[in-house]
């Protein structure tokens, strides 16, 4: 299904997506290194993260009669997505014969957690390695980052949708990474399963020492945001399927109103996302003028602010109860003036919206600085006085490069020595000490 997404990503871009010569505008998009049709599953495959239909197809492939497939799939679904089973032996109401058939060609394996870092504020970042999908992976598998952000009233998991990112936003660390490929639905959902494993967020499981424990007894992971690596709407097929699995009330059980898909503005996919996923929408806006947004978010050259905001007004289900979130990173002397704040208010008139003001999270090599705190407060005051909620997002996980805009998979940026340290289990302090050495 991902093939259509990649075709959509390139359609209509023309030469603009390939520009890289000095003096020309930066590329809008990157071409994936791995064509999805070239992916080949190797070895036993995991059942974790599959859709219901995909799970039924696995049962059909091993000869389970059609009349039994729905029931058997329901049993497996419960053990995988409600109980968090990691072995077929745990499935007490599944026959020994079926468990033996499944164990011969399938597993309940999760992606490998290569490293875990815990911030001073309780944020956790995992470097996750997916199983190899073909010869191009060199027996290593793709690596992505996933972040858990605890709070008193919720636990938010920030998931990735691509290996790397299609886009080239100039202020975003992840945007400097090459695009390898889309993540499958299974790989997206597996990030939630890994988080629940690591947090003890399954019935009867014990959380690790120091883990955030909700005071009201609710699930540790209550919210999902597609704000990790990648542009979700350039992988819209798999993102929609993943939202369906995550929100299944007989499985992982998250509310669709607690699942937010953040996009830089892939306008043609808005309607489909709203109708098929019924997820909350967040827009990476960051500028109120096309000339500036063309620089910060080059995708704006394809879908300018006027078209983007009209698509927001037309988003299925948008209302005061289902507001669109507009993300606005605060860049010193770039987009943080009083005039910018007033223009932001004018542009959003008539759209049920809230505005998240995000202090810029610095990363090595960036040309931008974070706005002064007084300037952020003044900007927020103008927006708030116009009737919009305008919380200033508290930076979380900055000390482990887990904050907004900082994600970039470690093997993309670490030199060989640091990678070896990572592989051998040396702690995060040792890895990051060598993270920015010259290659």
């Amino acid at each position: 299904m991902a093939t259509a997404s990649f075709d959509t990503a390139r359609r209509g871009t023309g030469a603009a997506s390939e520009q890289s010569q000095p003096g020309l505008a930066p590329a809008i998009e990157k071409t994936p290194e791995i064509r999805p049709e070239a992916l080949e599953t190797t070895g036993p495959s995991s059942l974790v993260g599959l859709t219901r239909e995909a799970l039924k197809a696995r049962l059909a492939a091993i000869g389970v009669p059609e009349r039994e497939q729905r029931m058997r799939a329901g049993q497996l679904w419960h053990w995988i997505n409600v109980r968090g089973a990691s072995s077929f032996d745990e499935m007490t109401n599944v026959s020994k014969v079926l468990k033996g058939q499944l164990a011969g060609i399938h597993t309940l394996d999760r992606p490998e957690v290569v490293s875990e870092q815990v911030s001073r504020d309780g944020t956790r970042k995992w470097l996750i390695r997916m199983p190899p999908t073909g010869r191009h992976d060199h027996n290593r598998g793709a690596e992505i980052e996933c972040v858990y952000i605890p709070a008193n009233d919720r636990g938010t998991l920030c998931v990735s949708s691509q290996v790397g990112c299609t886009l080239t936003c100039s202020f975003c660390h992840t945007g400097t990474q090459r695009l390898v490929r889309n993540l499958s639905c299974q790989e997206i959902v597996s990030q939630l399963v890994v988080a629940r494993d690591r947090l003890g967020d399954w019935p009867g499981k014990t959380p690790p020492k120091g883990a955030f424990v909700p005071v009201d007894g609710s699930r540790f992971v209550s919210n999902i945001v597609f704000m990790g690596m990648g542009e979700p709407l350039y992988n819209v097929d798999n993102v929609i399927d993943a939202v369906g699995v995550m929100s299944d009330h007989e499985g992982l059980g998250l509310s669709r109103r607690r699942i937010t898909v953040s996009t830089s503005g892939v306008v043609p996919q808005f309607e489909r996302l709203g109708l098929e996923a019924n997820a909350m929408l967040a827009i990476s806006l960051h500028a109120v003028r096309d000339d500036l947004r063309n620089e910060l978010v080059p995708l704006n050259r394809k879908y300018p602010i006027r078209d983007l905001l009209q698509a927001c007004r037309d988003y299925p289900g948008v209302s005061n109860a289902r507001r669109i979130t507009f993300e606005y990173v605060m860049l010193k002397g770039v987009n943080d003036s009083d005039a910018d704040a007033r223009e932001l208010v004018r542009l959003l008139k008539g759209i049920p919206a809230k505005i998240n003001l995000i202090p810029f999270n610095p990363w090595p090599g960036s040309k931008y600085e974070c706005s002064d705190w007084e300037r952020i407060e003044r900007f927020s005051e103008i927006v708030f006085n116009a009737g919009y909620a305008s919380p200033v997002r508290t930076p979380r996980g900055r000390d482990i490069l887990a904050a907004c805009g900082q994600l970039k998979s470690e093997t993309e940026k670490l030199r060989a020595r640091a990678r070896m340290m990572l592989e051998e289990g040396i702690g995060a302090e040792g890895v990051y000490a060598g993270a920015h050495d010259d290659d």
Side-chain angles (χ1 to χ4, degrees):
M1 293 180 69
T3 305
S5 298
F6 274 124
D7 289 343
T8 301
R10 295 198 312 276
R11 189 179 301 126
T13 62
S17 63
E18 303 299 330
Q19 288 176 343
S20 58
Q21 298 96 326
L24 294 179
I28 296 174
E29 299 150 344
K30 309 184 194 90
T31 301
E33 293 189 356
I34 304 300
R35 294 296 302 164
E37 59 264 29
L39 302 183
E40 299 174 0
T41 302
T42 58
S45 60
S46 177
L47 299 181
V48 174
L50 294 178
T51 64
R52 284 183 181 270
E53 290 305 310
L55 196 54
K56 287 172 61 178
R58 298 297 194 278
L59 292 173
I62 61 173
V64 174
E66 185 175 358
R67 65 181 182 277
E68 295 183 23
Q69 288 172 18
R70 181 175 180 180
M71 180 189 70
R72 299 302 181 194
Q75 291 174 327
L76 296 175
W77 185 266
H78 176 85
W79 282 104
I80 294 169
N81 294 318
V82 176
R83 306 294 301 181
S86 57
S87 166
F88 292 116
D89 291 338
E90 299 176 44
M91 300 181 176
T92 54
N93 63 343
V94 177
S95 72
K96 289 184 178 180
V97 173
L98 179 56
K99 287 191 286 190
Q101 289 178 295
L102 291 170
I105 55 175
H106 293 297
T107 72
L108 298 180
D109 291 346
R110 283 79 157 128
E112 176 188 359
V113 177
V114 177
S115 70
E116 178 182 59
Q117 294 173 266
V118 182
S119 168
R120 290 185 294 269
D121 62 25
T123 297
R124 292 172 181 257
K125 182 173 76 170
W126 297 291
L127 174 63
I128 298 175
R129 180 182 297 153
M130 301 299 174
T133 53
R135 289 188 297 273
H136 59 273
D137 277 338
H138 305 295
N139 298 317
R140 294 184 57 84
E143 294 176 343
I144 55 95
E145 290 183 341
C146 177
V147 177
Y148 173 67
I149 308 166
N152 289 331
D153 60 345
R154 72 188 63 193
T156 300
L157 188 70
C158 180
V159 300
S160 294
S161 55
Q162 294 182 314
V163 185
C165 185
T166 302
L167 300 180
T168 58
C169 300
S170 62
F171 61 90
C172 180
H173 200 195
T174 314
T176 66
Q177 185 173 349
R178 70 190 191 279
L179 171 64
V180 179
R181 64 173 176 86
N182 281 340
L183 292 175
S184 68
C185 166
Q186 185 174 20
E187 291 171 323
I188 296 171
V189 174
S190 291
Q191 295 171 65
L192 173 56
V193 174
V194 165
R196 286 191 167 169
D197 286 347
R198 303 293 289 196
L199 296 170
D201 193 18
W202 299 110
K205 299 296 175 68
T206 302
K209 183 179 180 180
F212 165 77
V213 179
V215 295
D216 60 357
S218 59
R219 300 299 296 256
F220 289 17
V221 179
S222 59
N223 294 57
I224 297 288
V225 291
F226 284 79
M227 296 182 185
M229 296 167 60
E231 165 51 63
L233 296 192
Y234 276 132
N235 188 14
V236 66
D237 297 323
N238 291 316
V239 166
I240 289 172
D241 284 347
V243 170
V245 176
M246 292 172 171
S247 62
D248 189 296
H249 67 280
E250 295 179 349
L252 294 168
L254 290 167
S255 166
R256 289 179 188 254
R257 293 190 63 174
R258 288 179 173 263
I259 300 176
T260 299
V261 177
S262 175
T263 176
S264 292
V266 187
V267 167
Q269 300 297 345
F270 279 26
E271 182 177 16
R272 186 176 170 206
L273 178 73
L275 292 175
E276 297 184 34
N278 195 25
M280 304 298 284
L281 181 66
I283 305 295
S284 294
L285 188 60
H286 311 308
V288 294
R289 308 186 316 272
D290 281 323
D291 60 337
L292 177 57
R293 195 165 191 268
N294 287 347
E295 175 190 337
L296 298 177
V297 186
L299 183 66
N300 193 74
R301 303 207 302 272
K302 287 180 67 176
Y303 310 115
I305 292 173
R306 180 177 178 177
D307 295 347
L308 172 60
L309 296 184
Q310 186 58 52
C312 291
R313 292 183 174 91
D314 296 337
Y315 187 68
V318 65
S319 66
N320 287 328
R322 293 178 62 86
R323 294 177 295 172
I324 294 175
T325 299
F326 288 88
E327 299 155 349
Y328 197 95
V329 66
M330 300 298 295
L331 303 172
K332 185 174 183 178
V334 176
N335 66 351
D336 60 353
S337 69
D338 286 3
D340 289 319
R342 287 190 287 267
E343 179 63 6
L344 178 60
V345 169
R346 189 191 70 80
L347 286 173
L348 299 187
K349 185 177 181 180
I351 301 176
K354 78 171 183 177
I355 301 159
N356 272 353
L357 301 181
I358 307 169
F360 175 65
N361 295 306
W363 45 270
S366 171
K367 64 181 180 181
Y368 300 106
E369 298 179 44
C370 182
S371 303
D372 297 332
W373 190 251
E374 294 78 9
R375 180 95 296 272
I376 296 175
E377 287 186 325
R378 172 60 181 160
F379 195 103
S380 175
E381 181 183 11
I382 293 172
V383 174
F384 177 79
N385 288 340
Y388 290 95
S390 55
V392 178
R393 185 186 295 175
T394 303
R396 302 292 300 274
R398 274 184 167 179
D399 54 317
I400 58 171
L401 288 182
C404 183
Q406 288 185 314
L407 295 190
K408 185 173 182 181
S409 62
E410 294 308 296
T411 51
E412 168 72 12
K413 67 186 178 187
L414 294 188
R415 58 180 294 174
R417 177 175 60 82
R419 179 201 284 260
M420 187 180 300
M421 294 165 66
L422 198 72
E423 294 282 332
E424 293 177 357
I426 297 175
E429 296 81 5
V431 171
Y432 274 85
H436 309 301
D437 293 348
D438 294 332
D439 288 332

